[in-house]
Amino acid sequence: MAAPLLLRGRLCFQLVKISCRTCSSTTKPPHLPLRQRIFHYLCTRFYDIENLINWSVSVRHWHLRKQNVYYSYTQQLYGEYIAAAYYILNHKGGIRFAGHRDWFRANRRGKFDWSFLNYKDVPLEAVDASGSLINYDGLDHLVCLKELKHLNLSGCPHVDDWCLDRLHMFKDSLEELNLAGCPQVTERGLAVLHHLKSVPTKYH
């Protein structure tokens, strides 16, 4: 809770600064010529906008880090498979356990069936994280999935070339990889998938 409270405090401080600066900028200094007053107003206003943009970027980065923090508590209670499944379901994705046909998926509201907790000792065979906020740090949840056969990362805006470099861990099990619609994946990143030569990869 410390981080959100700190951000709220910073937000209030930024808003107070912006409000005060805006109020002061709307007061026309009588001793300045009109041209200088206009220039002063524009400089002050654009400075406020820059602060607001910087704050917005910081909040987005904090939110992304929060979304991809490792579920160590879940891992200690239920094991690595459940921790990975819980992470994917929280990202509105889907998972399928080995030896089962049915998928566990989150709905549009992010709700899902908690009965997946009954599969504590069953490896994950397929992961659908398409369109999620998974990034390099978020892959920490998947490194334990030695039996993973199908991985769908299509449409993930934060999957980049560095993420692809971590997929070598699945070279002995992965049978299908989907990277279609990942804007940060380049040809250079695809080159590091040479250790997955036998894996059909969808990119375009």
Side-chain angles (χ1 to χ4, degrees), residues 1 16 44 63 83-84 129 147 174:
M1 295 299 294
V16 170
T44 306
H63 178 69
E147 298 84 0
L174 201 62

Side-chain angles (χ1 to χ4, degrees), residues 29-149:
H31 59 281
L32 293 178
L34 177 60
R35 182 177 298 179
Q36 293 186 21
R37 291 203 303 268
I38 294 175
F39 180 75
H40 173 75
Y41 173 82
L42 291 176
C43 288
T44 306
R45 182 56 57 89
F46 277 109
Y47 182 73
D48 292 340
I49 294 176
E50 182 181 0
N51 280 342
L52 187 59
I53 292 175
N54 290 337
W55 172 82
S56 177
V57 171
S58 298
V59 170
R60 287 199 299 269
H61 287 170
W62 172 81
H63 178 69
L64 183 62
R65 289 195 300 270
K66 180 182 177 182
Q67 289 291 318
N68 287 280
V69 67
Y70 186 68
Y71 292 178
S72 57
Y73 183 73
T74 305
Q75 187 271 333
Q76 293 174 6
L77 285 180
Y78 298 100
E80 295 176 332
Y81 298 143
I82 295 299
Y86 186 42
Y87 168 78
I88 295 298
L89 291 173
N90 267 336
H91 279 256
K92 299 182 179 180
I95 52 99
R96 191 181 75 224
F97 290 96
H100 296 267
R101 295 182 178 180
D102 296 332
W103 284 74
F104 287 91
R105 291 187 179 276
N107 59 24
R108 294 182 178 180
R109 296 184 177 181
K111 305 297 183 180
F112 48 83
D113 184 1
W114 287 90
S115 62
F116 76 94
L117 294 176
N118 298 326
Y119 298 87
K120 179 179 179 180
D121 299 319
V122 182
L124 286 177
E125 186 177 70
V127 168
D128 180 6
S130 58
S132 69
L133 296 179
I134 188 173
N135 64 0
Y136 185 89
D137 294 330
L139 289 176
D140 289 341
H141 296 85
L142 307 184
V143 295
C144 62
L145 306 181
K146 305 302 182 182
E147 298 84 0
L148 188 65
K149 295 182 179 181

